[in-house]
Amino acid sequence: MGDSVICELQNITKRFPGVVALDQVNLSIKKGEILAIVGENGAGKSTLMNILSGVFPPSEGRILYEGQERRFSHTREAQELGIAMIHQELSLSNALSIAENIFQGRLPKKATGLIDKKKLFQDSQKLLEQVGLGGVDVKTLVRDINASQQQQVEIAKALSLHAKLLILDEPTSALTPAEANVLHGVMGKLREEGITMLYISHKLDEIMKISDRIAVFRDGRYIETLITKDTTVERMISLMVGRENSAAYTRARYMSEEDYNSRPVVMEVKNMTVHKKVQDVSFKLYQGEILGITGLVGAGRTELLQAVFGADKREHGEVYIEGKEIKIKHPSDAIKSGMGLVPEGRKAQGLFLEMNVRENMSIVNLKDQISGFRLIRRQEERKKVTEFNNRLRVKTPSLEQKIVNLSGGNQQKVIIARWLMNNPKFLFLDEPTQGIDIGAKTEIYDIIHELSENGMSVIVVSSEMQEIMSLCDRVIVMYEGKVSGELIHSDFEEEKLMTFMSGK
């Protein structure tokens, strides 16, 4: 890696109404390096990347790119200079081929004005070879390739713009460990070719593995740049949160075999089957238990949870609560039975992005806030929302703040608070800390632990091994829609879990 600087950010400040998102940030980016950008949600990482990629301009400060001052008013201007951003939510069109996606909006044309398919396919094939997909047919529809390959197509798309500086925002959040390794291998090859990459991730083990340097941000300010080989995860975390911290989370107490023999079964699921997704799955849930469900992507974890909740249609299956069968044909039936579900897709499935914090939090509980005249008792609503907002320590300037302006961790707290306001007996959490920083993760773990201590039964679906092992009393492992193994906390071993996850 050369020491020449490809980009320098000088005194970058960004103000939004009521908040300073970035405050006098200075950062140098070297040519041909992988620079990790880390910090808690709300630290300013995404804001800085959006400025650099031309989504919006800074309020103050200068961008020096390849030695010249630049000011981008549109992403296209940044792309023309070789700066491309690959967002966490991919921008591919499932119904188009790989080649059409790579050159979408820029398809090569013949002199007659018709699409030059030969050039399209040849150019696309060269780009696929560059990102490690040389064996894949460029005519394949994007919907027919896996998540890892879609990420590689996004990178190929960026390289088709002659990208010199790639920004990757949480690129492995939806990938299995094996798929993430493939992506990291591609990144290593691109680094050898002199392409610079900014890598945003909350997976600190990945950052230690793939990056050359680590730039730490906190509360909108640049804190320090670490040389990866000379630092530790603990040092990184302490800079991120502003205090000494540990990467590992440990509960004070986990359920023992004696607890399982003495505590009542509060829910039992029998023979749950969802077409081509879940096959004849049965399990029990005990009072005050935190039950983990894990497995590789596509194992059927989410579908199982949503079938129990009535959000996915089941072929057959029975749900018993305290020994009595409950007919759940719709989520409203599950809610009446005391269930709450925090879905995996926070923005797509869990939030009303145009609404404020108060409206998002109270929406399930509104039936209890309506007067005899069918009007919402606003004073009572605000009182209850304020109570749960304080209880879960949601960081927001106001209850009237739009939910879209909150960090991922605080958005997740709002969704959890929404269900707690409904006083559920059971809380289902699907990937509760995906895309959330280490500080917010710990706070959410503490909330889950407190709920279990107060007698609530919780099911956590997670693909993070460490999360399952540190948080749960028991874990059910799924493979290709079936239960492949089950362990209580005293028997947890990473090797055992991985064996079950691989179907062995």
Side-chain angles (χ1 to χ4, degrees), residues 251 253 255 263 286-291 445-458 471 473:
R251 283 168 54 188
R253 182 181 180 277
M255 283 180 62
R263 291 191 192 185
Y286 292 78
Q287 184 180 53
E289 179 185 24
I290 302 176
L291 171 65
Y445 293 159
D446 286 339
I447 291 167
I448 295 169
H449 176 55
E450 182 184 341
L451 294 174
S452 75
E453 288 291 290
N454 291 332
M456 188 182 296
S457 301
V458 181
L471 185 61
D473 296 298

Side-chain angles (χ1 to χ4, degrees), residues 16 29 67 133 136 167 193 207 327 341 472:
F16 295 106
I29 304 164
L133 285 180
V136 177
I167 303 169
E193 295 172 14
I207 284 169
K327 299 294 183 182
L341 170 64
C472 300

